[in-house]
Amino acid sequence: MNAPTDMKLATGIGAPVLRKEDYRFLTGSGRYTDDVRMDHQTYACFLRSPHAHARIKGIGKDAALAAPGVVAIYTGDDLAADKVGGLPCGWLITDVHGQPMKEPPHPVLAQGVARHVGDPVAMVIAESYLQAKDAAELLEVDYEVMPAVADVRDALQSGAPAVHDIAPDNRCYTWSLGDKAAVDAAFAQAAHVTKLDLINNRLVPNAIEPRAVSASYNRAEDSYTVYVANQNPHVERLLMTAFVLSLPEHKVRIIAPDVGGGFGSKIFLYAEDAALTWAARKTNRPVKWTAERSEAFMSDAHGRDHVTTAELALDKDGHFLAMRVHTAANLGAYLSTFASSVPTILYATLLAGQYKTPHIYAEVDGVFTHTVPVDAYRGAGRPEAAYVVERLVSAAAREMGIDQAEIRRRNFITNFPYQTPVALQYDVGDFNACLDGAMDLADVAGFPARREEAKQRGKLRGIGYSTYIEACGLAPSNIAGALGARAGLYEVGEIRVNPTGSVTVFTGSHSHGQGHETTFAQVVADRLGIGIDQVDIVHGDTGRVPFGMGTYGSRSLSVGGSAIMKALDKIEAKGKKIAAHLLEAADTDIEFKDGKFTVAGTDKSVPFGQVAFTAYVPHNYPLEKLEPGLNETAFYDPTNFTYPGGAHICEVEVDPDTGQVEVVAMTAVDDFGNIINPMIVAGQVHGGLAQGIGQALLENCVYDRESGQLLTGSFMDYAMPRASDVPSFKVDHRITPCTHNPLGAKGCGEAGAIGSPPAVINAVIDALAPLGVTHIDMPASPQRVWQAIRQAGGNA
Ligand code: MCN
């Protein structure tokens, strides 16, 4: 990285540059999938199962086919007749606990059986969306309703209805990590054991833009163009062409244009994407579908939904000896694309947290139920791990009478690199620095006075800590492979320097709210010594970008940005050769700094722009030694994850009469390594904290345990956090640069949602502890808090 200059302070690495992309968003010039209009476009509506589990004995199409505007109606049988394959599953783990994971088929449209409320049963295509919707209501589906199971605990009972014949006990896999015998031995020596039963509540992602697809077929070229609100278009294309539609990959162009948020829920190949692509050829008409919000509730992959028993063994001084965790993870009705990796390698590997726990053993049952498939949602496995660890640590401190900060400091990892007992090796960190910073910023010293003052007002005030760590930058191929994954997840960057010195960057990362068009431009501008207005970032189009693994797991800067840095290395190396020719020097004597190539130790130099021009307009150019052009591509596969971490401190006030919890202060001091744009990073943290508070206090996706009906199918009964539910956040950073990527950067996109839920719940318990409450499940709704107070026999 070059040292800052005045110019770079304005736009380079470390500058809080306003987002370049906001001009188009704020002026209504963004182009989302639903904005795509094609000649002769038709509209699709999906008829979805109203039952959680039902045999489909027949589908009468006649009345619907006769309805105005109807172009075609397709069912699972039609797709099967055309040899359309099932949606791919089990992308990451092939073999669990020595047994092959159960991978039941996931048809694009249900074939014979519907397995969750919302399972698509038929696709109606019409001239307008309302015509398609009206016709869908005329379809006569003969359902035989069968018993359903929605809760993992029920699904694991013997005699529970089986979701798939190939998994009669509903277990998709049992997976374990760690040394069980060593853990059992350590527990036998423990002076104290803390045990908690924890539920990590199921969440619905709810990006602002619902999922959308717009597919067209070009008969002359026998090719497809598919616009889709998606976070990783190349992987979508690979899965769709190779597994589902058996099409030549190069005949399908996937464009993920402006996307209004994803939070992990748009990284999968969904049934609707494949169905529309297939139907575009079948009807020879473009087909479009945009999910209604209530459809999104019952068809977007959900998040979390763990039932866990966790134990922590400690010595008499509060040092951690061992941790033992059993988790039943609800996978829903089908195995979604990344669902096997989320509750396993993205979860159990993080159970060491920030602590020197010598022995850890985790066992995970992945369980089918008659519910929407569960997959990645902001944090994906890591919020669940942080919740287990930080709830256990806080409960242990309370039980042993040790101060909440002190028990953490007593057990913090302080020497790096540090090999945890659950596979990961943390490269760097300074956990005490983040905790110190957070305690200062949160004014922990003033808390007793604030608690007393609240008491005078009849309120119970509590403070909660969470010192979390996560693994970002998915996924080093060597580590992913060692953990049983089918593939590592590198990234691609291409730098095209134009003849006049401006630069177009093609990245496999996808920005859907994270501001890559600004931060990636900052990285390139800083390195080449040019203004960020000279740099354009192109992403989200398989027709323009060479390849890409997409955006999730807070990987874009550390992996995608590093691929760009690697391509810039090549640009610089070639630029030196061209400069050496222009300056009549040896290329080994050329230095590049501040946008100039200079002969070392002299004042002889040429600016970057002149080198770019020479590359394309060669004059007296050594063509025999050097190709024209200045265009380089690089693939970057990280050698390790990055390990962002930090300390979150939450302060709440509880009204003991109503159970209402108010978050009165939320402080986050995080370590994201080197920061490219502090303003964007602060925005990422703010959004994550709001989602974490949402999970802790408000959001809960509820199914009826017997019928499998989705009880929270709209915003009327699923509570999203609003501005009035969150305080003004206090955010700061401590920096230990990542040791293994060229930017020294760690991910920041999920941290807020990972660290904050346990901080909020620990604060609620701290507030209620004087009344005898020791545990409460998320979301800590007024009803639950009120009941907990009554059950504990507490009276404020
Ligand atoms: N950044 C930085 N310095 C760092 C780290 C990051 O300046 N040390 C910048 C990056 O350059 C980028 C942004 O912060 O502009 C986020 O970077 P990163 O942490 O690499 O995360 P990704 O870009 O890979 O984004 C993914 C992450 C995830 S996994 C979810 S889920 C999530 C999130 O981003 N979904 C989001 N933030 C979101 N924000 C919006 N608005 N919408 C979503 O759907």
Side-chain angles (χ1 to χ4, degrees), residues 494-564:
E494 180 188 342
I495 308 284
R496 192 178 299 167
V497 180
N498 301 307
T500 51
S502 66
V503 176
T504 312
V505 179
F506 300 84
T507 171
S509 301
H510 186 277
S511 188
H512 38 279
Q514 295 88 348
H516 297 170
E517 289 169 45
T518 306
T519 50
F520 286 13
Q522 286 180 256
V523 168
V524 175
D526 188 278
R527 179 73 186 270
L528 297 179
I530 58 179
I532 59 165
D533 291 342
Q534 293 296 303
V535 184
D536 262 359
I537 307 296
V538 176
H539 66 94
D541 184 346
T542 62
R544 298 181 73 193
V545 177
F547 194 71
M549 291 289 194
T551 285
Y552 42 84
S554 303
R555 67 191 302 269
S556 299
L557 181 64
S558 58
V559 189
S562 295
I564 289 171

Side-chain angles (χ1 to χ4, degrees), residues 261-264 378-379 512-516 519-520 551-558 672-677 680-681 684 745-750:
F263 306 107
R378 202 171 197 172
H512 38 279
Q514 295 88 348
H516 297 170
T519 50
F520 286 13
T551 285
Y552 42 84
S554 303
R555 67 191 302 269
S556 299
L557 181 64
S558 58
F672 301 131
N674 293 329
I675 288 176
I676 306 300
N677 185 323
I680 285 179
V681 168
Q684 287 292 313
K746 311 176 191 178
C748 74
E750 296 156 293

Side-chain angles (χ1 to χ4, degrees), residues 201 203 688-700 719-721 726 779:
N201 43 325
L203 302 176
L689 292 175
Q691 277 174 306
I693 290 172
Q695 163 155 38
L697 298 181
L698 297 152
E699 296 182 48
N700 201 18
M720 295 286 285
V726 297

Side-chain angles (χ1 to χ4, degrees), residues 277-405:
T277 306
W278 174 81
R281 179 168 189 272
K282 205 76 183 158
T283 58
N284 198 24
R285 300 271 304 268
V287 195
K288 179 169 170 173
W289 168 77
T290 302
E292 296 186 2
R293 184 59 69 182
S294 54
E295 247 185 319
F297 268 92
M298 56 175 146
S299 68
D300 290 3
H302 291 174
R304 321 282 196 253
D305 205 346
H306 283 195
V307 176
T308 294
T309 300
E311 296 167 277
L312 182 65
L314 303 96
D315 72 11
K316 65 178 180 16
D317 299 320
H319 296 115
F320 305 162
L321 301 175
M323 185 185 288
R324 191 160 50 199
V325 175
H326 178 269
T327 293
N330 196 339
L331 301 175
Y334 303 100
L335 193 56
S336 177
T337 317
F338 296 102
S340 53
S341 62
V342 172
T344 51
I345 62 176
L346 290 174
Y347 166 67
T349 53
L350 267 305
L351 288 170
Q354 299 192 350
Y355 311 108
K356 293 175 285 198
T357 312
H359 306 290
I360 299 175
Y361 177 73
E363 194 167 288
V364 180
D365 284 315
V367 183
F368 291 118
T369 61
H370 292 105
T371 62
V372 174
V374 180
D375 206 317
Y377 172 61
R378 202 171 197 172
R382 291 151 290 158
E384 296 91 317
Y387 190 66
V388 168
V389 175
E390 290 304 305
R391 285 287 298 109
L392 269 179
V393 169
S394 281
R398 192 169 296 285
E399 287 168 6
M400 296 184 74
I402 303 173
D403 174 77
Q404 290 288 344

